Amino acid sequence: MRNTASRVRLAAVAAAAGIAVLAGCSSSDQQDNSSAAASCEPAKGKVTLQYWNTVPGMDQVVALWNKQNPDIQVQTKNISNDQYGTISNALKAGKAPDLAQVGYDELPNLRTQNAFVDASACSEATAAKSKFVPWTWSQTSFAGTGVFALPQDTGPMALYVRSDIFKQHGLAIPKTWDEYAAEAKKLHVADPKLTMTFFDPNNAEWFNGLLWQNSAEMYSYSGDKWHVTVESPQSKQVADYWQKMIDDKLVRTDLANGSTQMYAAYQQNQIASYVGAAWGYSMFRDNLPKQAGKWTIVPMPTWGTNAASGDWGGSTVAFMKGGKHLYESVKFNTWLNTNPEALALENKLGGLYSASPVGTGLPQLSEGVPYYNNQKIFDVFAESSKNIDTSFTWGPTQKTVNLSLQDAMAKAAAGQGTLADALKTAQATALKSMKDLAIPAQAGK
């Protein structure tokens, strides 16, 4: 949900994105990279499924299913500490679970590891298509070549504001990034111990969300090859903006998102805002209870008059290779991501912003949230969702590129190079990593 990327947005999915996801897996036979459609025969007798995820409170959601389905029991394992390392090691050892939480941006990577099984032999799996936002379904089905996962949640972005700090220092709610920088400078002059926000150099997924907002298309696919534009002018605009914020000491670079140190900084009233996603609403509620009533959520600052927003995170629940009970896995997976009772719990306990209109249309999402001074915060996220570019595409080696980007951003934050240099490094890594996998690619469009 929050470490990987994607997003009640949206109109029809852009066909190019789905084609790109499909085509990026290999230059050879695509079917080799995911198990062919498996049999969908119900098991004879009781079944126990393994479901790995990173969502707080998911054990309570699973307990609800287990109470209602005595013949299909689910065991859940939280793998927050090392999500993809745990999954990758399990795949290598032939001990992958039946189901696992996988970010949209990680799907192409894991497909190259032959990680998934096609559940399209199950009629309930193919029928689920109508229950999700179209663009999310396209990514999980690899442009309609099968059903390898079901969408779970999305991450439309917004700005979290400490209303009391803003009021104390006479700050205006920024509508644009230029205004955000101006208010950040005003705040820092008023109190050098205060900063507007923090820049986490080790969080490429968050940075990708910022690029996404500025229409910084990182990848496209045409002419039987990938076109890599990680260091596009739009990307450089975002990088240069945050580089100046860092250089002017208007943001901190010593905090990691979700870390104890991050919460401590907010608890000690050292930071005035947070650029985050819909799922982040529960982070502050659960970790900073004494700040109830002090937070407001407003639209993400924009680039000029362009109303576009960004997306950070979002996950799927994938059918993993090696699962022995596909029929039962489909039943649980469908329930988990479309059942109103399950979705209500997932939002309340884990902060998930559902990829299903059923979830985003829950009555509780139209109500005021007590922690946020009874503000109807999900109205803000719903509007953000409508303003996200649905054609944004992930590359087939996104994880490798993200790691490279993070390493280079960390160096830039330490004064070794710039964020623009980090983009150049990530661009080179994208091209090399595709070449190493024999995936046709070139720089530029």
Side-chain angles (χ1 to χ4, degrees), residues 79-200:
I79 54 173
S80 297
N81 290 336
D82 185 15
Q83 182 180 7
Y84 293 109
T86 301
I87 292 174
S88 182
N89 290 336
L91 285 168
K92 292 175 183 177
K95 297 182 179 180
D98 299 272
L99 299 162
Q101 179 185 353
V102 177
Y104 296 98
D105 60 343
E106 287 287 342
L107 287 170
N109 281 315
L110 284 174
R111 194 183 186 197
T112 66
Q113 299 178 41
N114 195 23
F116 309 125
V117 62
D118 180 2
S120 59
C122 300
S123 59
E124 189 171 358
T126 55
K129 178 179 180 179
S130 62
K131 300 179 181 180
F132 297 99
V133 174
W135 81 269
T136 61
W137 183 267
S138 181
Q139 293 208 11
T140 59
S141 67
F142 296 122
T145 62
V147 182
F148 303 93
L150 296 187
Q152 183 165 70
D153 74 310
T154 64
M157 299 178 75
L159 181 66
Y160 293 63
V161 171
R162 271 291 297 273
S163 302
D164 56 331
I165 296 178
F166 267 55
K167 183 178 181 180
Q168 177 186 352
H169 294 282
L171 304 181
I173 298 297
K175 294 183 179 180
T176 68
W177 284 113
D178 284 344
E179 291 178 3
Y180 187 69
E183 296 303 300
K185 185 175 182 179
K186 181 178 178 180
L187 178 66
H188 191 61
V189 170
D191 186 348
K193 295 180 181 179
L194 270 172
T195 53
M196 181 61 86
T197 191
F198 68 98
F199 182 97
D200 181 359

Side-chain angles (χ1 to χ4, degrees), residues 359-383:
T360 52
L362 290 170
Q364 72 187 62
L365 268 68
S366 64
E367 300 172 353
V369 178
Y371 182 85
Y372 294 91
N373 204 27
N374 290 316
Q375 178 191 359
K376 296 182 179 181
I377 62 172
F378 290 104
D379 287 352
V380 179
F381 293 120
E383 187 63 26

Side-chain angles (χ1 to χ4, degrees), residues 303-337:
W303 293 100
T305 58
N306 185 351
S309 189
D311 184 276
W312 173 23
S315 293
T316 71
V317 177
F319 299 101
M320 303 303 293
K321 182 183 178 183
K324 298 179 176 62
H325 304 290
L326 186 60
Y327 175 86
E328 290 77 15
S329 293
V330 168
K331 292 192 73 66
F332 170 70
N333 201 347
T334 304
W335 175 88
L336 182 70
N337 293 305

Side-chain angles (χ1 to χ4, degrees), residues 60 79 82 119 161 165 170 200 223-224 239 259 261 265 268 282 314 322 336 341 367 394 437:
Q60 296 183 49
I79 54 173
D82 185 15
V161 171
I165 296 178
D200 181 359
D224 297 326
S259 66
Q261 293 80 6
Q268 294 164 17
S282 63
L336 182 70
E341 193 173 7
E367 300 172 353
W394 298 114
L437 291 174

